[in-house]
């Protein structure tokens, strides 16, 4: 099997662009001709990485064995948080807000945002704090240290296996599911962008019209053509 058969066209273009960039940086070339190359867009498979509500419920109910792991999954799905954001949470980040709460999140690109916590999830947060608060971090290891992201990823893989969910699922699948389900329930696109911490609304727009269970074809009457 040749190298061309092992890598995608997109990867090949990226390698070439990187090579030309390196040549310019080292002074071997004066013009980066690789900058004129356009990277082919990969097929969008976001819909394949979205769990339905019953799958999320099964993952949280049957996949985890303790309150810590359950709350982490709830925050990733219920608030759309990244795994890095969840493990970095401290108790001082949480504040009461109406019947629920809000949490200050230190996100991607060193950007800070405030995420609203619905009342049903706020109850879970306060209940967990009552019995499990040890130090400043919300989620800690057995040694009372800050939770490591790799531990969370392993936990999710095991939870998927226990609950019969696709074992490719990850923490980000829960974030994808949050975005998709929120839009389906009527969430405003700009509000979702703000909640997820996307720098551009274009990123958030990927979640529009990706449900494999609905399509414009369902509104076409074909009986008259038979």
């Amino acid at each position: 099997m040749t190298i061309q058969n092992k890598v995608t066209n997109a990867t090949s273009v990226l390698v070439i662009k990187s090579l030309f960039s390196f040549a310019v940086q080292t002074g071997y070339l004066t013009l980066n001709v690789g900058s004129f190359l356009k990277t082919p867009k990969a097929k969008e498979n976001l819909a394949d990485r979205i769990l339905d509500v019953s799958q999320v419920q099964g993952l949280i109910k049957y996949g985890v064995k303790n309150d810590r792991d359950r709350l982490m999954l709830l925050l990733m799905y219920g608030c759309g948080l990244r795994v890095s954001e969840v493990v970095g949470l401290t108790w001082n980040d949480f504040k009461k807000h109406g019947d629920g709460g809000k949490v200050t999140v230190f996100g991607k690109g060193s950007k800070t945002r405030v995420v609203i916590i619905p009342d049903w999830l706020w109850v879970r947060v306060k209940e967990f704090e009552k019995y499990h608060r040890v130090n400043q971090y919300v989620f800690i290891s057995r040694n009372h240290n800050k939770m490591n992201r790799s531990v969370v990823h392993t936990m999710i893989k095991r939870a998927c296996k226990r609950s019969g969910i696709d074992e490719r699922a990850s923490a980000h699948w829960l974030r994808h599911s949050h975005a998709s389900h929120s839009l389906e329930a009527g969430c405003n696109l700009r509000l979702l962008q703000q909640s997820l911490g996307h720098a551009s609304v274009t990123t958030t727009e990927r979640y529009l019209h990706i449900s494999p269970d609905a399509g414009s074809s369902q509104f076409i009457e074909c009986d008259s053509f038979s």
Side-chain angles (χ1 to χ4, degrees):
M1 181 179 291
T2 64
I3 294 177
Q4 287 79 4
N5 290 329
K6 294 181 180 179
V7 297
T8 64
N9 290 335
T11 302
S12 299
V13 173
L14 288 174
V15 170
I16 294 172
K17 288 170 69 72
S18 177
L19 178 61
F20 279 115
S21 295
F22 177 75
V24 172
Q25 291 172 4
T26 57
Y28 189 79
L29 294 176
T30 57
L31 176 65
N32 186 355
V33 295
S35 63
F36 298 100
L37 294 174
K38 293 185 178 180
T39 305
K41 291 186 177 181
K43 180 181 178 181
E44 179 61 80
N45 63 345
L46 182 58
D48 296 332
R49 290 174 279 148
I50 293 176
L51 304 174
D52 60 39
V53 175
S54 62
Q55 288 176 316
V56 175
Q57 290 173 336
L59 181 66
I60 295 173
K61 186 175 182 180
Y62 303 111
V64 294
K65 295 184 175 182
N66 58 64
D67 294 335
R68 182 199 66 184
D69 295 349
R70 186 169 292 107
L71 183 58
M72 281 195 289
L73 295 183
L74 284 171
L75 285 168
M76 283 184 271
Y77 172 69
C79 296
L81 302 187
R82 300 179 178 94
V83 62
S84 59
E85 296 169 345
V86 169
V87 298
L89 291 174
T90 68
W91 288 112
N92 289 333
D93 294 329
F94 291 88
K95 295 290 184 294
K96 175 74 174 172
H97 178 73
D99 293 331
K102 57 184 179 180
V103 60
T104 301
V105 177
F106 188 68
K108 188 176 181 180
S110 300
K111 294 181 179 179
T112 301
R113 71 185 189 280
V114 176
V115 178
I116 300 299
I117 302 176
D119 53 358
W120 63 268
L121 183 50
W122 182 250
V123 171
R124 299 286 192 105
V125 171
K126 300 307 290 183
E127 188 73 11
F128 182 80
E129 180 183 16
K130 181 178 179 181
Y131 295 103
H132 300 284
R133 182 167 184 168
V134 176
N135 57 34
Q136 64 172 329
Y137 289 108
V138 178
F139 302 110
I140 58 177
S141 66
R142 294 178 180 177
N143 297 323
H144 294 174
N145 296 320
K146 177 183 175 182
M147 182 71 67
N148 190 291
R149 285 188 300 176
S150 63
V151 175
V152 181
H153 289 307
T154 300
M155 176 271 289
I156 292 176
K157 294 300 181 185
R158 290 174 177 171
C160 290
K161 188 173 184 178
R162 293 191 194 104
S163 55
I165 303 298
D166 188 337
E167 291 185 41
R168 296 176 301 162
S170 65
H172 223 67
W173 283 37
L174 290 172
R175 181 172 158 89
H176 290 324
S177 301
H178 166 91
S180 178
H181 299 169
S182 296
L183 287 174
E184 289 174 0
C187 179
N188 179 276
L189 187 65
R190 290 289 182 178
L191 178 59
L192 180 60
Q193 176 194 2
Q194 176 185 329
S195 298
L196 294 180
H198 286 159
S200 171
V201 72
T202 302
T203 304
T204 318
E205 286 176 343
R206 296 171 61 217
Y207 295 103
L208 291 171
H209 313 303
I210 58 175
S211 173
D213 299 318
S216 59
S217 60
Q218 294 174 301
F219 296 86
I220 301 298
E221 178 59 59
C222 295
D223 288 346
S224 59
F225 296 99
S226 58

